[in-house]
C-alpha cells in the first residue's frame, strides 16, 4: 500500500479516535489537496442530534465556508481533492461527494449496512448520472484498525440511543476476517 495514502489514513484514524472519545460512532476523515490537509472532521451525530452530521459532511461544510479553499464558485469544488475516511462513505455521503466532484476516495473498511461506494450501492461510479462525474473509491487502507475502533464503540452502551441496549455481556471480538 502506498505510504502517502497510509499517512493520510492515519490522520483520519486520529479523527476517529477523537469521535470515539466523544461517544460518537468512530468515523474520521481528512480531505487532501496539493499534498496538504485542507479539512478534517469526525462524526458529530450524537453531539448535535442530527443524523446528517457525518464526518464527510462536517468537513465539506468547513471547506465550502472557507473562501481561501473555495475562492470562486465552481460546479465541482472538490475536483482536485482526495478524501481519506475510515469507513466507506454511506449512500448519503457518497452522493454528496459525487455531486461536489470529489477526485478520489480512499477508505478503511467497508460499510455493509449503508455503503455508498459498492458495499450496498455504488453511488460513486456504478450508477449512471447525466451530469456528475464518477469517482474511484479504494478500500482497505488501515482496514483492521477501522474495524477494531468500530467494535470498541459497539460493545459499549450508547447512551444517546432512544432505547439503549444492555451490552454488559458483550466481548470484544479481535479476530478480523480476510477480504
Amino acid at each position: 500500500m502506498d505510504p502517502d495514502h497510509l499517512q493520510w489514513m492515519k490522520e483520519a484514524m486520529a479523527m476517529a479516535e477523537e469521535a470515539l472519545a466523544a461517544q460518537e460512532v468512530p468515523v474520521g476523515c481528512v480531505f487532501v489537496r496539493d499534498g496538504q490537509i485542507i479539512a478534517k472532521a469526525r462524526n458529530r451525530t450524537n453531539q448535535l442530534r442530527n443524523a446528517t452530521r457525518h464526518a464527510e459532511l462536517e468537513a465539506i461544510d468547513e471547506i465550502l465556508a472557507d473562501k481561501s479553499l473555495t475562492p470562486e464558485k465552481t460546479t465541482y469544488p472538490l475536483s482536485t481533492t482526495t478524501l481519506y475516511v475510515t469507513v466507506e462513505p454511506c449512500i448519503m455521503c457518497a452522493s454528496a461527494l459525487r455531486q461536489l466532484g470529489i477526485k478520489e476516495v480512499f477508505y478503511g473498511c467497508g460499510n455493509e449496512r449503508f455503503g455508498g461506494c459498492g458495499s450496498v450501492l455504488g453511488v460513486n461510479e456504478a450508477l449512471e448520472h447525466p451530469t456528475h462525474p464518477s469517482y474511484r473509491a479504494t478500500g482497505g487502507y488501515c482496514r483492521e484498525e477501522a474495524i477494531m475502533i468500530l467494535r470498541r464503540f459497539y460493545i459499549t452502551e450508547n447512551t444517546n440511543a432512544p432505547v439503549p441496549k444492555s451490552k454488559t455481556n458483550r466481548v470484544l471480538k479481535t479476530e478480523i476476517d480476510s477480504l
Side-chain angles (χ1 to χ4, degrees), residues 49-99:
R49 298 190 180 280
N50 181 336
T52 69
R53 299 296 53 195
H54 291 192
E56 299 95 324
L57 297 182
E58 286 284 305
I60 287 169
D61 284 353
E62 185 179 322
I63 293 167
L64 296 178
D66 186 335
K67 297 295 183 204
S68 70
L69 298 175
T70 52
E72 52 191 62
K73 287 191 177 199
T74 176
T75 305
Y76 299 115
L78 300 180
S79 64
T80 60
T81 307
T82 300
L83 168 65
Y84 295 86
V85 60
T86 58
V87 178
E88 174 188 3
C90 71
I91 294 167
M92 172 183 68
C93 291
S95 178
L97 291 163
R98 186 166 182 174
Q99 291 175 53

Side-chain angles (χ1 to χ4, degrees), residues 118-177:
S119 291
V120 175
L121 190 63
V123 174
N124 63 312
E125 62 185 356
L127 296 176
E128 291 294 320
H129 194 281
T131 310
H132 305 305
S134 63
Y135 60 90
R136 188 175 71 176
T138 306
Y141 283 87
C142 297
R143 177 180 174 269
E144 291 80 12
E145 295 95 318
I147 291 170
M148 286 307 299
I149 195 169
L150 288 168
R151 287 181 182 172
R152 286 171 39 213
F153 174 79
Y154 283 114
I155 66 163
T156 64
E157 291 188 35
N158 182 356
T159 56
N160 295 303
V163 181
K165 296 177 185 174
S166 176
K167 298 181 182 179
T168 54
N169 294 327
R170 288 212 177 163
V171 176
L172 178 62
K173 180 182 167 193
T174 57
E175 296 288 320
I176 297 177
D177 299 329

